PDB file of all heavy atoms in Angstrom:
ATOM      1  N   ASN A 142       6.366   8.568  13.403  1.00  0.00           N
ATOM      2  CA  ASN A 142       6.059   8.203  12.026  1.00  0.00           C
ATOM      3  C   ASN A 142       6.821   9.134  11.057  1.00  0.00           C
ATOM      4  O   ASN A 142       6.931  10.349  11.238  1.00  0.00           O
ATOM      5  CB  ASN A 142       4.529   8.350  11.713  1.00  0.00           C
ATOM      6  CG  ASN A 142       3.714   7.326  12.351  1.00  0.00           C
ATOM      7  OD1 ASN A 142       3.667   6.235  11.932  1.00  0.00           O
ATOM      8  ND2 ASN A 142       3.134   7.661  13.451  1.00  0.00           N
ATOM      9  N   VAL A 143       7.431   8.457  10.003  1.00  0.00           N
ATOM     10  CA  VAL A 143       8.039   9.310   8.925  1.00  0.00           C
ATOM     11  C   VAL A 143       7.306   8.677   7.745  1.00  0.00           C
ATOM     12  O   VAL A 143       7.313   7.592   7.371  1.00  0.00           O
ATOM     13  CB  VAL A 143       9.481   8.994   8.736  1.00  0.00           C
ATOM     14  CG1 VAL A 143      10.156   9.858   7.692  1.00  0.00           C
ATOM     15  CG2 VAL A 143      10.321   9.255  10.126  1.00  0.00           C
ATOM     16  N   ASN A 144       6.595   9.735   7.021  1.00  0.00           N
ATOM     17  CA  ASN A 144       5.802   9.287   5.945  1.00  0.00           C
ATOM     18  C   ASN A 144       6.046  10.005   4.566  1.00  0.00           C
ATOM     19  O   ASN A 144       6.497  11.095   4.400  1.00  0.00           O
ATOM     20  CB  ASN A 144       4.334   9.727   6.348  1.00  0.00           C
ATOM     21  CG  ASN A 144       3.886   9.232   7.608  1.00  0.00           C
ATOM     22  OD1 ASN A 144       3.776   7.949   7.782  1.00  0.00           O
ATOM     23  ND2 ASN A 144       3.383  10.103   8.580  1.00  0.00           N
ATOM     24  N   GLY A 145       5.837   9.027   3.660  1.00  0.00           N
ATOM     25  CA  GLY A 145       5.707   9.400   2.184  1.00  0.00           C
ATOM     26  C   GLY A 145       6.683  10.359   1.467  1.00  0.00           C
ATOM     27  O   GLY A 145       6.404  11.457   1.241  1.00  0.00           O
ATOM     28  N   LEU A 146       7.984   9.862   1.540  1.00  0.00           N
ATOM     29  CA  LEU A 146       8.941  10.563   0.782  1.00  0.00           C
ATOM     30  C   LEU A 146       8.486  10.541  -0.748  1.00  0.00           C
ATOM     31  O   LEU A 146       8.402   9.504  -1.287  1.00  0.00           O
ATOM     32  CB  LEU A 146      10.385   9.996   0.797  1.00  0.00           C
ATOM     33  CG  LEU A 146      11.520  10.694   0.166  1.00  0.00           C
ATOM     34  CD1 LEU A 146      11.673  12.088   0.606  1.00  0.00           C
ATOM     35  CD2 LEU A 146      12.824   9.893   0.223  1.00  0.00           C
ATOM     36  N   SER A 147       8.258  11.757  -1.311  1.00  0.00           N
ATOM     37  CA  SER A 147       7.803  11.728  -2.762  1.00  0.00           C
ATOM     38  C   SER A 147       8.543  12.825  -3.506  1.00  0.00           C
ATOM     39  O   SER A 147       9.084  13.741  -2.825  1.00  0.00           O
ATOM     40  CB  SER A 147       6.263  12.143  -2.696  1.00  0.00           C
ATOM     41  OG  SER A 147       6.064  13.356  -2.198  1.00  0.00           O
ATOM     42  N   PHE A 148       8.607  12.638  -4.751  1.00  0.00           N
ATOM     43  CA  PHE A 148       9.354  13.581  -5.589  1.00  0.00           C
ATOM     44  C   PHE A 148       8.352  14.265  -6.532  1.00  0.00           C
ATOM     45  O   PHE A 148       7.470  13.852  -7.093  1.00  0.00           O
ATOM     46  CB  PHE A 148      10.478  12.923  -6.478  1.00  0.00           C
ATOM     47  CG  PHE A 148      11.540  12.099  -5.480  1.00  0.00           C
ATOM     48  CD1 PHE A 148      11.388  10.967  -5.160  1.00  0.00           C
ATOM     49  CD2 PHE A 148      12.562  13.060  -5.222  1.00  0.00           C
ATOM     50  CE1 PHE A 148      12.415  10.350  -4.272  1.00  0.00           C
ATOM     51  CE2 PHE A 148      13.686  12.457  -4.417  1.00  0.00           C
ATOM     52  CZ  PHE A 148      13.513  11.124  -3.883  1.00  0.00           C
ATOM     53  N   SER A 149       8.649  15.611  -6.638  1.00  0.00           N
ATOM     54  CA  SER A 149       7.837  16.457  -7.527  1.00  0.00           C
ATOM     55  C   SER A 149       8.617  17.485  -8.183  1.00  0.00           C
ATOM     56  O   SER A 149       9.788  17.778  -8.041  1.00  0.00           O
ATOM     57  CB  SER A 149       6.704  17.101  -6.714  1.00  0.00           C
ATOM     58  OG  SER A 149       7.222  17.929  -5.754  1.00  0.00           O
ATOM     59  N   ILE A 150       8.016  18.295  -9.134  1.00  0.00           N
ATOM     60  CA  ILE A 150       8.650  19.293  -9.938  1.00  0.00           C
ATOM     61  C   ILE A 150       8.165  20.581  -9.390  1.00  0.00           C
ATOM     62  O   ILE A 150       6.913  20.804  -9.280  1.00  0.00           O
ATOM     63  CB  ILE A 150       8.259  19.231 -11.472  1.00  0.00           C
ATOM     64  CG1 ILE A 150       8.645  17.904 -12.054  1.00  0.00           C
ATOM     65  CG2 ILE A 150       8.829  20.372 -12.239  1.00  0.00           C
ATOM     66  CD1 ILE A 150       8.087  17.411 -13.421  1.00  0.00           C
ATOM     67  N   ASP A 151       9.117  21.454  -9.019  1.00  0.00           N
ATOM     68  CA  ASP A 151       8.791  22.799  -8.351  1.00  0.00           C
ATOM     69  C   ASP A 151       7.986  23.680  -9.345  1.00  0.00           C
ATOM     70  O   ASP A 151       6.916  24.075  -8.944  1.00  0.00           O
ATOM     71  CB  ASP A 151      10.015  23.432  -8.014  1.00  0.00           C
ATOM     72  CG  ASP A 151       9.811  24.619  -7.048  1.00  0.00           C
ATOM     73  OD1 ASP A 151       8.708  24.731  -6.436  1.00  0.00           O
ATOM     74  OD2 ASP A 151      10.614  25.444  -6.927  1.00  0.00           O
ATOM     75  N   ASP A 152       8.494  23.815 -10.514  1.00  0.00           N
ATOM     76  CA  ASP A 152       7.674  24.613 -11.549  1.00  0.00           C
ATOM     77  C   ASP A 152       6.954  23.789 -12.380  1.00  0.00           C
ATOM     78  O   ASP A 152       7.217  23.752 -13.654  1.00  0.00           O
ATOM     79  CB  ASP A 152       8.724  25.558 -12.247  1.00  0.00           C
ATOM     80  CG  ASP A 152       7.990  26.684 -13.010  1.00  0.00           C
ATOM     81  OD1 ASP A 152       6.862  26.741 -13.011  1.00  0.00           O
ATOM     82  OD2 ASP A 152       8.821  27.427 -13.783  1.00  0.00           O
ATOM     83  N   ILE A 153       5.983  23.163 -11.935  1.00  0.00           N
ATOM     84  CA  ILE A 153       5.208  22.338 -12.746  1.00  0.00           C
ATOM     85  C   ILE A 153       4.400  22.953 -13.918  1.00  0.00           C
ATOM     86  O   ILE A 153       4.174  22.385 -14.910  1.00  0.00           O
ATOM     87  CB  ILE A 153       4.145  21.373 -11.866  1.00  0.00           C
ATOM     88  CG1 ILE A 153       3.607  20.207 -12.711  1.00  0.00           C
ATOM     89  CG2 ILE A 153       3.125  22.335 -11.282  1.00  0.00           C
ATOM     90  CD1 ILE A 153       4.479  19.159 -13.253  1.00  0.00           C
ATOM     91  N   ASP A 154       4.048  24.238 -13.653  1.00  0.00           N
ATOM     92  CA  ASP A 154       3.331  24.943 -14.617  1.00  0.00           C
ATOM     93  C   ASP A 154       4.182  25.264 -15.955  1.00  0.00           C
ATOM     94  O   ASP A 154       3.611  25.267 -17.018  1.00  0.00           O
ATOM     95  CB  ASP A 154       2.840  26.357 -14.130  1.00  0.00           C
ATOM     96  CG  ASP A 154       1.787  26.139 -13.001  1.00  0.00           C
ATOM     97  OD1 ASP A 154       0.997  25.172 -13.159  1.00  0.00           O
ATOM     98  OD2 ASP A 154       1.565  27.060 -12.209  1.00  0.00           O
ATOM     99  N   ASN A 155       5.386  25.308 -15.725  1.00  0.00           N
ATOM    100  CA  ASN A 155       6.224  25.634 -16.903  1.00  0.00           C
ATOM    101  C   ASN A 155       6.368  24.353 -17.820  1.00  0.00           C
ATOM    102  O   ASN A 155       6.301  24.365 -18.991  1.00  0.00           O
ATOM    103  CB  ASN A 155       7.747  25.935 -16.393  1.00  0.00           C
ATOM    104  CG  ASN A 155       8.668  26.226 -17.624  1.00  0.00           C
ATOM    105  OD1 ASN A 155       8.387  26.949 -18.472  1.00  0.00           O
ATOM    106  ND2 ASN A 155       9.857  25.597 -17.555  1.00  0.00           N
ATOM    107  N   VAL A 156       6.395  23.065 -17.144  1.00  0.00           N
ATOM    108  CA  VAL A 156       6.511  21.859 -17.843  1.00  0.00           C
ATOM    109  C   VAL A 156       5.130  21.580 -18.532  1.00  0.00           C
ATOM    110  O   VAL A 156       5.102  21.188 -19.703  1.00  0.00           O
ATOM    111  CB  VAL A 156       6.775  20.642 -16.795  1.00  0.00           C
ATOM    112  CG1 VAL A 156       6.801  19.333 -17.636  1.00  0.00           C
ATOM    113  CG2 VAL A 156       8.109  20.968 -16.055  1.00  0.00           C
ATOM    114  N   ARG A 157       4.018  21.932 -17.831  1.00  0.00           N
ATOM    115  CA  ARG A 157       2.749  21.777 -18.422  1.00  0.00           C
ATOM    116  C   ARG A 157       2.503  22.770 -19.559  1.00  0.00           C
ATOM    117  O   ARG A 157       1.893  22.290 -20.604  1.00  0.00           O
ATOM    118  CB  ARG A 157       1.621  22.160 -17.390  1.00  0.00           C
ATOM    119  CG  ARG A 157       0.214  21.787 -17.836  1.00  0.00           C
ATOM    120  CD  ARG A 157      -0.803  22.060 -16.694  1.00  0.00           C
ATOM    121  NE  ARG A 157      -0.558  21.074 -15.582  1.00  0.00           N
ATOM    122  CZ  ARG A 157      -0.157  21.298 -14.391  1.00  0.00           C
ATOM    123  NH1 ARG A 157       0.118  22.542 -14.175  1.00  0.00           N
ATOM    124  NH2 ARG A 157       0.010  20.417 -13.552  1.00  0.00           N
ATOM    125  N   ALA A 158       3.118  23.976 -19.532  1.00  0.00           N
ATOM    126  CA  ALA A 158       3.068  24.906 -20.651  1.00  0.00           C
ATOM    127  C   ALA A 158       3.848  24.416 -21.893  1.00  0.00           C
ATOM    128  O   ALA A 158       3.376  24.488 -23.044  1.00  0.00           O
ATOM    129  CB  ALA A 158       3.575  26.267 -20.296  1.00  0.00           C
ATOM    130  N   LYS A 159       4.881  23.704 -21.631  1.00  0.00           N
ATOM    131  CA  LYS A 159       5.691  23.118 -22.802  1.00  0.00           C
ATOM    132  C   LYS A 159       4.938  22.045 -23.463  1.00  0.00           C
ATOM    133  O   LYS A 159       4.927  22.009 -24.741  1.00  0.00           O
ATOM    134  CB  LYS A 159       6.986  22.617 -22.299  1.00  0.00           C
ATOM    135  CG  LYS A 159       8.105  23.632 -21.820  1.00  0.00           C
ATOM    136  CD  LYS A 159       9.259  23.014 -21.329  1.00  0.00           C
ATOM    137  CE  LYS A 159      10.233  24.026 -20.795  1.00  0.00           C
ATOM    138  NZ  LYS A 159      11.534  23.486 -20.293  1.00  0.00           N
ATOM    139  N   ALA A 160       4.244  21.218 -22.609  1.00  0.00           N
ATOM    140  CA  ALA A 160       3.410  20.118 -23.180  1.00  0.00           C
ATOM    141  C   ALA A 160       2.327  20.608 -24.024  1.00  0.00           C
ATOM    142  O   ALA A 160       1.980  20.146 -25.105  1.00  0.00           O
ATOM    143  CB  ALA A 160       2.912  19.148 -22.012  1.00  0.00           C
ATOM    144  N   ARG A 161       1.707  21.665 -23.516  1.00  0.00           N
ATOM    145  CA  ARG A 161       0.430  22.322 -24.172  1.00  0.00           C
ATOM    146  C   ARG A 161       0.960  22.854 -25.566  1.00  0.00           C
ATOM    147  O   ARG A 161       0.240  22.781 -26.517  1.00  0.00           O
ATOM    148  CB  ARG A 161      -0.229  23.289 -23.310  1.00  0.00           C
ATOM    149  CG  ARG A 161      -1.339  23.903 -23.903  1.00  0.00           C
ATOM    150  CD  ARG A 161      -2.142  24.839 -22.984  1.00  0.00           C
ATOM    151  NE  ARG A 161      -1.286  25.805 -22.409  1.00  0.00           N
ATOM    152  CZ  ARG A 161      -0.983  26.028 -21.209  1.00  0.00           C
ATOM    153  NH1 ARG A 161      -1.267  25.106 -20.252  1.00  0.00           N
ATOM    154  NH2 ARG A 161      -0.239  26.942 -20.779  1.00  0.00           N
ATOM    155  N   ALA A 162       2.136  23.616 -25.454  1.00  0.00           N
ATOM    156  CA  ALA A 162       2.714  24.190 -26.762  1.00  0.00           C
ATOM    157  C   ALA A 162       2.952  23.104 -27.900  1.00  0.00           C
ATOM    158  O   ALA A 162       2.495  23.336 -29.025  1.00  0.00           O
ATOM    159  CB  ALA A 162       3.901  24.926 -26.437  1.00  0.00           C
ATOM    160  N   LEU A 163       3.417  22.037 -27.452  1.00  0.00           N
ATOM    161  CA  LEU A 163       3.570  20.926 -28.379  1.00  0.00           C
ATOM    162  C   LEU A 163       2.291  20.390 -28.920  1.00  0.00           C
ATOM    163  O   LEU A 163       2.170  20.087 -30.047  1.00  0.00           O
ATOM    164  CB  LEU A 163       4.461  19.882 -27.725  1.00  0.00           C
ATOM    165  CG  LEU A 163       5.889  20.199 -27.306  1.00  0.00           C
ATOM    166  CD1 LEU A 163       6.575  18.972 -26.511  1.00  0.00           C
ATOM    167  CD2 LEU A 163       6.673  20.431 -28.565  1.00  0.00           C
ATOM    168  N   ALA A 164       1.335  20.278 -27.990  1.00  0.00           N
ATOM    169  CA  ALA A 164      -0.039  19.685 -28.460  1.00  0.00           C
ATOM    170  C   ALA A 164      -0.658  20.694 -29.415  1.00  0.00           C
ATOM    171  O   ALA A 164      -1.271  20.291 -30.356  1.00  0.00           O
ATOM    172  CB  ALA A 164      -0.902  19.486 -27.204  1.00  0.00           C
ATOM    173  N   ILE A 165      -0.562  22.025 -29.060  1.00  0.00           N
ATOM    174  CA  ILE A 165      -1.123  23.011 -30.022  1.00  0.00           C
ATOM    175  C   ILE A 165      -0.397  22.933 -31.395  1.00  0.00           C
ATOM    176  O   ILE A 165      -1.159  22.969 -32.491  1.00  0.00           O
ATOM    177  CB  ILE A 165      -1.003  24.465 -29.512  1.00  0.00           C
ATOM    178  CG1 ILE A 165      -1.976  24.605 -28.214  1.00  0.00           C
ATOM    179  CG2 ILE A 165      -1.433  25.399 -30.453  1.00  0.00           C
ATOM    180  CD1 ILE A 165      -1.816  25.773 -27.470  1.00  0.00           C
ATOM    181  N   SER A 166       0.853  22.818 -31.382  1.00  0.00           N
ATOM    182  CA  SER A 166       1.536  22.713 -32.681  1.00  0.00           C
ATOM    183  C   SER A 166       1.136  21.564 -33.495  1.00  0.00           C
ATOM    184  O   SER A 166       0.939  21.547 -34.651  1.00  0.00           O
ATOM    185  CB  SER A 166       3.122  22.689 -32.393  1.00  0.00           C
ATOM    186  OG  SER A 166       3.829  22.678 -33.669  1.00  0.00           O
ATOM    187  N   ASP A 167       0.965  20.386 -32.746  1.00  0.00           N
ATOM    188  CA  ASP A 167       0.501  19.109 -33.357  1.00  0.00           C
ATOM    189  C   ASP A 167      -0.893  19.307 -33.973  1.00  0.00           C
ATOM    190  O   ASP A 167      -1.140  18.856 -35.209  1.00  0.00           O
ATOM    191  CB  ASP A 167       0.504  18.060 -32.385  1.00  0.00           C
ATOM    192  CG  ASP A 167       0.097  16.703 -32.892  1.00  0.00           C
ATOM    193  OD1 ASP A 167       0.569  16.365 -34.041  1.00  0.00           O
ATOM    194  OD2 ASP A 167      -0.685  15.868 -32.291  1.00  0.00           O
ATOM    195  N   ALA A 168      -1.798  19.987 -33.303  1.00  0.00           N
ATOM    196  CA  ALA A 168      -3.139  20.200 -33.772  1.00  0.00           C
ATOM    197  C   ALA A 168      -2.987  21.239 -35.011  1.00  0.00           C
ATOM    198  O   ALA A 168      -3.826  20.960 -35.994  1.00  0.00           O
ATOM    199  CB  ALA A 168      -4.075  20.788 -32.765  1.00  0.00           C
ATOM    200  N   GLN A 169      -2.346  22.220 -34.927  1.00  0.00           N
ATOM    201  CA  GLN A 169      -2.253  23.175 -36.052  1.00  0.00           C
ATOM    202  C   GLN A 169      -1.598  22.557 -37.275  1.00  0.00           C
ATOM    203  O   GLN A 169      -2.109  22.683 -38.401  1.00  0.00           O
ATOM    204  CB  GLN A 169      -1.248  24.335 -35.675  1.00  0.00           C
ATOM    205  CG  GLN A 169      -1.842  25.192 -34.582  1.00  0.00           C
ATOM    206  CD  GLN A 169      -0.732  26.199 -34.098  1.00  0.00           C
ATOM    207  OE1 GLN A 169       0.420  26.046 -34.107  1.00  0.00           O
ATOM    208  NE2 GLN A 169      -1.274  27.424 -33.635  1.00  0.00           N
ATOM    209  N   ASN A 170      -0.642  21.647 -37.150  1.00  0.00           N
ATOM    210  CA  ASN A 170      -0.215  20.963 -38.369  1.00  0.00           C
ATOM    211  C   ASN A 170      -1.181  19.996 -38.902  1.00  0.00           C
ATOM    212  O   ASN A 170      -1.307  19.918 -40.196  1.00  0.00           O
ATOM    213  CB  ASN A 170       1.100  20.108 -37.938  1.00  0.00           C
ATOM    214  CG  ASN A 170       2.278  20.972 -37.655  1.00  0.00           C
ATOM    215  OD1 ASN A 170       2.447  22.150 -38.179  1.00  0.00           O
ATOM    216  ND2 ASN A 170       3.161  20.498 -36.821  1.00  0.00           N
TER     217      ASN A 170
END
Side-chain angles (χ1 to χ4, degrees):
N142 289 283
V143 183
N144 300 307
L146 181 64
S147 63
F148 294 92
S149 60
I150 301 168
D151 190 21
D152 191 1
I153 190 65
D154 289 338
N155 182 52
V156 181
R157 190 175 289 115
K159 291 179 180 178
R161 183 172 57 248
L163 291 172
I165 291 173
S166 178
D167 182 39
Q169 288 173 334
N170 291 334

